[in-house]
C-alpha cells in the first residue's frame, strides 16, 4: 500500500493493490452525556469514560471489535456529543454505514440529538435508536418515541421502520440485542470493497515514534 502525500486540506489517497474484506462501519452519535462512551466501554470491556476530560468525548475515535456471541466484526466510530464539536460529528458520520443514535431515556431529544438526526438524514445513513439509561427511575421510553417522531424518526414501536432498542449501557441490559439489531441492518446492506485502484482515507490521529517516524490511524474508504 502506497500513500500519496497531499496538502492537509485534501483527502489522503491510497493505492490499493489487493482485495480488502470490509466490515461495516458503525457510527455512535447523540447528545453529550447520553451514554455513547459508556456503551462503547461496555462493548470493549473498558472504562474510557473516566479518562475523558470533563467526562465528555472531545475527539472522533475509531476501533475494530468482534462480538463472539454473533461472530460479528465491525468498526466503531465514536463521535463527541458536545455542541463545540459539530464538525467532528459531521466527519464521523460521513464514514458510517449504520448509525447508533444514543438517546437518554430520561432526558429525551436534546439539541445535539437534533443535529445528529439532521446530519444522518443529509447523508442518508440508516439509524438504530438506542434508548439508554432505562434503569433510571425517571426514564420515559414512550415520551422518547414521541419526541423522536417530532424529529422525523418513526421507530418500529409506533409503526415506523426505524429499529429501536431500550438499553442500559452501564448495566449491560439489552446491549447484545442492540448489536444484533445493528447486525441485521448491516446484513441487508451491500458493503462491497474495491480490489485495486485509488481510494480515500480519513486520518484520525498521528502519533510520533522513534527516529522521526509516525504512526497513523486511518479509516480507509474501500466502497466499490
Amino acid at each position: 500500500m502506497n500513500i500519496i502525500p497531499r496538502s492537509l486540506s485534501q483527502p489522503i489517497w491510497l493505492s490499493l493493490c489487493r482485495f480488502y474484506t470490509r466490515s461495516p462501519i458503525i457510527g455512535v452519535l447523540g447528545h453529550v452525556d447520553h451514554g455513547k462512551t459508556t456503551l462503547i466501554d461496555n462493548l470493549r470491556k473498558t472504562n474510557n469514560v473516566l479518562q475523558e476530560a470533563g467526562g465528555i468525548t472531545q475527539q472522533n475515535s475509531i476501533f475494530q471489535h468482534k462480538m463472539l456471541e454473533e461472530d460479528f466484526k465491525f468498526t466503531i466510530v465514536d463521535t463527541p456529543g458536545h455542541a463545540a464539536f459539530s464538525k467532528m460529528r459531521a466527519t464521523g458520520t460521513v464514514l458510517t454505514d449504520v448509525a447508533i443514535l444514543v438517546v437518554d431515556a430520561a432526558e429525551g431529544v436534546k439539541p445535539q440529538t437534533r443535529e445528529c438526526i439532521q446530519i444522518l438524514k443529509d447523508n442518508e445513513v440508516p439509524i438504530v435508536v438506542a434508548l439508554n439509561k432505562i434503569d433510571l427511575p425517571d426514564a420515559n421510553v414512550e415520551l422518547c418515541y414521541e419526541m423522536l417522531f417530532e424529529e422525523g424518526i418513526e421507530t418500529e414501536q409506533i409503526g415506523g421502520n426505524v429499529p429501536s432498542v431500550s438499553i442500559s449501557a452501564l448495566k449491560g441490559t439489552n446491549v447484545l440485542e442492540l448489536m444484533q439489531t445493528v447486525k441485521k441492518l448491516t446484513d441487508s446492506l451491500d458493503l462491497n470493497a474495491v480490489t485495486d485502484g485509488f481510494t480515500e482515507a480519513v486520518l484520525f490521529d498521528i502519533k510520533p515514534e522513534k527516529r522521526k517516524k509516525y504512526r497513523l490511524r486511518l479509516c480507509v474508504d474501500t466502497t466499490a
Side-chain angles (χ1 to χ4, degrees):
M1 179 175 70
N2 300 317
I3 298 179
I4 301 176
R6 298 170 71 92
S7 72
L8 293 177
S9 63
Q10 296 174 298
I12 294 176
W13 292 87
L14 306 179
S15 176
L16 301 179
C17 302
R18 57 182 179 176
F19 178 77
Y20 283 82
T21 301
R22 186 170 75 88
S23 59
I25 301 175
I26 302 167
V28 181
L29 298 94
H31 190 75
V32 62
D33 201 32
H34 276 202
K36 300 181 302 298
T37 302
T38 304
L39 172 59
I40 291 174
D41 278 345
N42 185 284
L43 293 172
R44 301 183 71 182
K45 309 305 178 188
T46 56
N47 199 8
N48 289 323
V49 70
L50 296 180
Q51 302 174 22
E52 295 179 333
I56 62 173
T57 304
Q58 299 194 19
Q59 63 181 9
N60 284 328
S61 62
I62 189 168
F63 70 92
Q64 280 198 324
H65 188 66
K66 184 174 182 179
M67 293 186 66
L68 298 179
E69 302 94 330
E70 291 295 312
D71 191 27
F72 181 32
K73 184 179 180 181
F74 53 89
T75 300
I76 283 278
V77 177
D78 182 18
T79 62
H82 195 277
F85 303 109
S86 296
K87 188 173 182 179
M88 287 187 186
R89 276 191 294 279
T91 300
T93 304
V94 169
L95 297 171
T96 60
D97 299 309
V98 171
I100 298 176
L101 180 65
V102 180
V103 180
D104 187 324
E107 292 192 355
V109 174
K110 291 293 183 178
Q112 272 61 65
T113 314
R114 296 187 182 94
E115 179 191 294
C116 291
I117 289 172
Q118 191 58 55
I119 293 172
L120 293 170
K121 285 182 177 180
D122 290 345
N123 289 281
E124 299 182 345
V125 178
I127 298 172
V128 175
V129 175
L131 293 180
N132 191 27
K133 304 187 183 182
I134 59 168
D135 52 306
L136 297 181
D138 53 347
N140 191 334
V141 172
E142 297 301 325
L143 179 59
C144 288
Y145 293 149
E146 295 177 11
M147 296 177 75
L148 287 165
F149 179 78
E150 292 175 358
E151 302 300 325
I153 302 297
E154 299 182 37
T155 60
E156 293 176 343
Q157 288 79 358
I158 60 171
N161 57 5
V162 177
S164 175
V165 181
S166 298
I167 69 168
S168 170
L170 184 63
K171 295 185 176 180
T173 307
N174 296 336
V175 171
L176 177 58
E177 180 184 347
L178 171 66
M179 298 313 297
Q180 288 172 334
T181 303
V182 171
K183 182 179 185 298
K184 182 178 179 180
L185 185 54
T186 60
D187 285 346
S188 68
L189 303 176
D190 188 17
L191 302 178
N192 295 320
V194 297
T195 57
D196 198 3
F198 290 95
T199 189
E200 291 185 10
V202 173
L203 176 64
F204 275 81
D205 60 41
I206 303 176
K207 293 183 178 180
E209 295 192 342
K210 296 179 180 179
R211 299 180 181 177
K212 297 182 179 181
K213 293 182 179 180
Y214 294 87
R215 182 184 297 273
L216 282 68
R217 195 158 50 126
L218 305 167
C219 183
V220 181
D221 181 3
T222 57
T223 305

